[in-house]
Amino acid sequence: MKNKRQNENRKTKWLAVVTAAGSVAVCAAVIGAYSIAMKNLIPTNNQSNILAGPGYSTSSQKTNTPVNNPINNIPKDNKSSSSSSSSDKTEPTNKPVNTVKGNIMPVEGEIDIAFSNGELVKSPTLGVWKTHDGSDILCPLGTDVKSMSDGVVKEIRDDPLMGVCVVIEQVNGLEVHYCGLAKELSVKAGANVAQGEIIGKTSDTNQSEILQQPHLHLAVKKNGEWVDPMSVIS
């Protein structure tokens, strides 16, 4: 009987010890879980560094200054955006400008026989009535003849009546005929000529006007029609 009671007392003590140990373990687990939960709720320095990036400020103070975003190229203020928009509307400079040079006199002198504009005039040399499709500019034999404007030598011919003729197709659309020149010319067919460049000298090769005073016979075509040479000279 006595042994039986001793065994029961031992079991009771052992159960109490086990129960106490289990309680301690449970308390420790609860405290550990609570600590982990609290750590997750409190931000650390590492978390603030993660948030710091393009478009964010790490300063704890509030500021009204916008943060510049290098990725989206967001301007810091309205002034820079307005200046950029105004610059976009600025018209490009150094635009190409198309200009046409005026025509200069090929020789200096008075007009002997003017352009007849389709009317018949009597030729002093041939003695017949005919149109005079150019202007005869008086000048001594051997006078330098200059190109009226930039162009290309379209044709050089030795005409039985008009003598040595140089035809220049100018960049301004005119076709200019210089007639009665000496055979020794300063240009060749197909050559580019500049305004004021000497193309030859006056001579007596113009047999159809040989009885007139020495002169340059100047004729101009515009859109395929003869026009008054003096009307196109600046």
Side-chain angles (χ1 to χ4, degrees), residues 217-233:
H217 180 90
L218 179 67
V220 175
K221 274 187 175 182
K222 182 178 181 181
N223 298 325
E225 301 290 337
W226 296 112
V227 297
D228 184 0
M230 297 300 106
S231 69
V232 299
I233 294 177

Side-chain angles (χ1 to χ4, degrees), residues 29-99:
V30 171
I31 293 172
Y34 178 80
S35 298
I36 294 173
M38 292 302 292
K39 287 183 180 180
N40 291 333
L41 293 176
I42 300 175
T44 63
N45 291 333
N46 291 334
Q47 288 175 328
S48 63
N49 290 334
I50 292 173
L51 291 177
Y56 292 91
S57 174
T58 58
S59 174
S60 60
Q61 297 180 352
K62 293 183 178 180
T63 175
N64 294 326
T65 304
V67 179
N68 189 35
N69 191 331
I71 295 179
N72 297 325
N73 293 325
I74 301 175
K76 291 184 178 180
D77 50 34
N78 293 330
K79 292 182 180 180
S80 61
S81 62
S82 61
S83 61
S84 62
S85 61
S86 61
S87 61
D88 293 339
K89 296 179 181 179
T90 304
E91 294 183 358
T93 57
N94 300 327
K95 287 184 176 180
V97 179
N98 295 325
T99 58

Side-chain angles (χ1 to χ4, degrees), residues 139-160:
C139 60
L141 295 177
T143 299
D144 289 335
V145 178
K146 301 176 182 179
S147 177
M148 291 172 52
S149 187
D150 299 343
V152 178
V153 179
K154 180 180 180 180
E155 180 186 4
I156 295 177
R157 69 176 186 274
D158 190 353
D159 189 89

